[in-house]
Amino acid sequence: MKSRIPVVLLACGSFNPITNMHLRLFEVARDHLHQTGMYQVVQGIISPVNDKYGKKDLVASHHRVAMVRLALQTSDWIRVDPWESEQAQWIETVKVLRHHRSELLSSLPQMEDQDPRTAPSAPAAVPELKLLCGADVLKTFQTPNLWEDAHIQEIVEKFGLVCVSRSGHDPKGYILDSPILRHFQHNIHLAREPVQNEISATYIRRALSQGQSVKYLLPDAVIAYIKEHSLYTKDGSCKGQGTQRSKGKTS
Amino acid sequence: MKSRIPVVLLACGSFNPITNMHLRLFEVARDHLHQTGMYQVVQGIISPVNDKYGKKDLVASHHRVAMVRLALQTSDWIRVDPWESEQAQWIETVKVLRHHRSELLSSLPQMEDQDPKTAPSAPAAVPELKLLCGADVLKTFQTPNLWEDAHIQEIVEKFGLVCVSRSGHDPKGYILDSPILRHFQHNIHLAREPVQNEISATYIRRALSQGQSVKYLLPDAVIAYIKEHSLYTKDGSCKGQGTQRSKGKTS
């Protein structure tokens, strides 16, 4: 019986703040890959973007990382990784993928370290690292000058994409409209979330600044953190950050 | 300065199971009423429907009540009330409203019990009890033979409605289409939830029966309860209940 290919899902983004919708992406993607019969999702990684990305209203990365950590307290398979946010500059997504792939390779048990009597009968399969995103991100591949073509190709060819649908988006259409995506469409997995769940972090920031409730849209522990540190208030929504032009990166 | 009218929000429904969307109704409604400047929401009540309502796939009410109780552990103003579910028969919504209003009246401090030295300068205002629902329920007022006209009138005239929008619904249109609703529209509050949050309990039941994840769509404590009691599984989705024709009551 053919064994399943182990997969690690990596999501990049602002997570400003993390919401239940972000967390759902992982659950939906994992279920989708499992249902193909071909994959076993072994890990999820959330990688908040570097402050230098310069998106409007981006709170300091140490807060965004802390909020993700709190949100993941009840998850047994997803973790936050602050590497991207700790670099001196903003890092392109493909480089974040390369970094995490080499981390995965270096964490595999080395054959020479193993006692031949206890070593597994076959070498451990290297998990495939795939980029997890919403359909809105897939659409941004079309935006001129946002992504380098070579990077898009490397992402879909060497890594793979798991794309969770969002209302108002047509991921199949985006794939067909792009020669690169079309060529590697076998490596792009489209997962559908039947629940219309459009919890936008933008809405949450606005609700918070207006003193409205966001309970049940994101984990309680994250809401408590936001209040404790007075994030996203009317006057402090850009704590530690200047307001710079958005580069079009969503959520 | 005119004081705000205290309000209690009552939501009736199957809650089969309770979801984050149900819980959001309360938060959105409370914020909306507060923003009018006229009301102070002092309490929320969730009243799961009686098993005798006969809706398909309705799990036993003691489970539904238990799940709501778990979901409300982190709320400081909403509570579950099992009265409706404990009656011998199904009870019309207007009678549930009448019951809870008399409970509210009998729980007010009686003037003769109070020490004149410590009594408040004015009698405590009686909270107004309002029915909280989604726009889909407002639409059902049009369904022939589902609601008695006299009941609809009593609900909007003597109690009041707080109706939270749902995509695909036009609550203003439903009000204008109905003479009774139009006449008492001042007593119908339409709250908008900008977050598209269509977490349907039907979807959740289906996902559970197919072994898919529902994490982040409802509280973890509710998910744990569902697993512990094997609710909504392929073979046990009607634990303790026969399958009877739906009477058109939503969610």
Side-chain angles (χ1 to χ4, degrees):
Chain A
M1 191 174 101
K2 186 169 178 231
S3 11
R4 291 171 173 248
I5 299 166
V7 167
V8 174
L9 295 172
L10 172 76
C12 300
S14 306
F15 304 104
N16 187 36
I18 184 138
T19 71
N20 282 346
M21 187 208 72
H22 295 130
L23 299 164
R24 278 301 294 162
L25 289 184
F26 281 86
E27 300 290 312
V28 170
R30 178 169 72 160
D31 281 346
H32 176 87
L33 290 180
H34 284 180
Q35 274 176 311
T36 63
M38 295 192 296
Y39 301 101
Q40 179 68 37
V41 178
V42 298
Q43 194 187 156
I45 304 173
I46 293 185
S47 176
V49 78
N50 195 290
D51 288 336
K52 298 271 172 59
Y53 186 62
K55 197 170 176 186
K56 187 176 184 294
D57 299 336
L58 202 62
V59 308
S61 62
H62 68 91
H63 284 313
R64 290 182 288 116
V65 167
M67 288 187 283
V68 174
R69 189 167 280 123
L70 287 169
L72 295 175
Q73 278 176 337
T74 65
S75 177
D76 60 3
W77 68 284
I78 312 168
R79 64 178 187 85
V80 65
D81 195 297
W83 177 85
E84 179 181 354
S85 67
E86 289 170 349
Q87 300 313 299
Q89 293 301 329
W90 169 66
I91 309 222
E92 291 104 318
T93 300
V94 72
K95 296 179 183 170
V96 180
L97 282 163
R98 291 176 196 158
H99 164 80
H100 285 287
R101 183 178 51 189
S102 72
E103 290 284 295
L104 279 172
L105 283 167
S106 60
S107 69
L108 284 178
Q110 298 302 316
M111 289 306 288
E112 63 267 17
D113 294 336
Q114 285 174 342
D115 183 331
R117 287 164 295 172
T118 59
S121 50
V126 183
E128 289 188 10
L129 178 66
K130 299 193 181 304
L131 184 66
L132 168 64
C133 63
D136 54 330
V137 174
L138 191 65
K139 185 179 188 192
T140 69
F141 284 0
Q142 300 169 359
T143 308
N145 302 325
L146 188 57
W147 299 84
E148 284 189 39
D149 280 352
H151 287 183
I152 296 178
Q153 174 151 347
E154 186 176 338
I155 290 172
V156 294
E157 179 180 9
K158 306 291 186 190
F159 295 95
L161 214 56
V162 183
C163 176
V164 179
S165 63
R166 267 187 112 159
S167 69
H169 286 282
D170 173 30
K172 284 193 176 134
Y174 305 153
I175 293 173
L176 293 172
D177 284 347
S178 155
I180 303 176
L181 298 185
R182 220 166 45 232
H183 189 77
F184 294 103
Q185 58 184 295
H186 56 278
N187 220 8
I188 301 175
H189 304 269
L190 298 182
R192 278 204 65 238
E193 163 76 297
V195 171
Q196 275 258 54
N197 194 8
E198 302 295 318
I199 300 176
S200 117
T202 305
Y203 165 76
I204 284 175
R205 295 193 298 272
R206 192 184 323 133
L208 285 165
S209 73
Q210 293 175 357
Q212 288 167 343
S213 164
V214 293
K215 196 166 165 69
Y216 311 116
L217 298 178
L218 51 170
D220 281 343
V222 180
I223 299 176
Y225 183 97
I226 289 171
K227 295 210 180 324
E228 191 185 324
H229 293 88
S230 302
L231 305 179
Y232 309 115
T233 55
K234 263 195 272 280
D235 50 355
S237 58
C238 311
K239 266 179 143 44
Q241 301 305 319
T243 42
Q244 300 178 44
R245 279 241 328 247
S246 161
K247 286 198 178 64
K249 194 165 182 182
T250 45
S251 190
Chain B
M1 188 173 103
K2 186 163 178 241
S3 7
R4 289 170 175 250
I5 299 164
V7 167
V8 173
L9 296 172
L10 172 76
C12 299
S14 305
F15 303 106
N16 187 35
I18 184 139
T19 72
N20 283 347
M21 186 208 72
H22 294 129
L23 300 164
R24 279 301 295 160
L25 289 184
F26 280 86
E27 300 289 312
V28 170
R30 179 169 71 160
D31 282 345
H32 177 87
L33 289 180
H34 284 180
Q35 274 176 310
T36 63
M38 295 194 295
Y39 302 100
Q40 180 67 36
V41 178
V42 298
Q43 195 186 153
I45 304 173
I46 292 184
S47 177
V49 78
N50 195 290
D51 288 336
K52 296 274 173 59
Y53 186 62
K55 196 170 176 185
K56 186 174 182 296
D57 300 335
L58 201 62
V59 309
S61 62
H62 68 91
H63 284 312
R64 290 182 289 115
V65 168
M67 288 187 283
V68 174
R69 189 167 281 121
L70 287 169
L72 294 175
Q73 276 176 337
T74 66
S75 178
D76 60 3
W77 67 283
I78 311 168
R79 66 179 185 83
V80 66
D81 196 298
W83 178 84
E84 179 181 355
S85 67
E86 290 170 349
Q87 302 311 300
Q89 292 304 329
W90 170 66
I91 306 220
E92 292 104 319
T93 300
V94 73
K95 294 178 182 169
V96 180
L97 282 162
R98 291 177 197 157
H99 164 79
H100 284 288
R101 182 177 53 189
S102 72
E103 290 283 296
L104 279 172
L105 283 168
S106 60
S107 71
L108 285 178
Q110 299 302 316
M111 290 305 288
E112 63 269 16
D113 294 337
Q114 283 172 343
D115 184 334
K117 287 172 289 187
T118 58
S121 50
V126 182
E128 288 187 11
L129 179 66
K130 297 192 182 303
L131 184 66
L132 169 65
C133 63
D136 53 332
V137 173
L138 191 65
K139 185 177 187 190
T140 68
F141 284 1
Q142 301 168 358
T143 307
N145 302 324
L146 187 57
W147 299 85
E148 285 188 42
D149 279 354
H151 288 181
I152 297 178
Q153 174 151 347
E154 185 176 341
I155 289 172
V156 294
E157 179 180 9
K158 305 292 187 191
F159 295 95
L161 213 57
V162 184
C163 175
V164 179
S165 64
R166 267 188 111 158
S167 70
H169 287 282
D170 173 30
K172 286 196 174 131
Y174 305 152
I175 292 174
L176 294 173
D177 286 345
S178 155
I180 303 175
L181 298 184
R182 219 166 45 232
H183 189 76
F184 294 103
Q185 58 184 297
H186 55 280
N187 221 7
I188 301 175
H189 304 269
L190 299 182
R192 278 204 66 238
E193 163 77 296
V195 172
Q196 275 259 53
N197 194 9
E198 302 296 317
I199 300 175
S200 116
T202 305
Y203 166 76
I204 285 176
R205 294 193 298 271
R206 190 182 325 134
L208 285 166
S209 73
Q210 294 174 356
Q212 288 167 342
S213 165
V214 294
K215 197 166 165 68
Y216 311 116
L217 298 178
L218 51 170
D220 282 343
V222 180
I223 299 176
Y225 183 96
I226 288 171
K227 295 209 179 327
E228 190 184 327
H229 294 87
S230 303
L231 304 179
Y232 308 115
T233 56
K234 262 194 272 282
D235 49 356
S237 59
C238 311
K239 261 178 145 46
Q241 302 304 320
T243 43
Q244 302 178 44
R245 276 228 347 236
S246 160
K247 286 196 177 63
K249 193 166 181 180
T250 46
S251 190

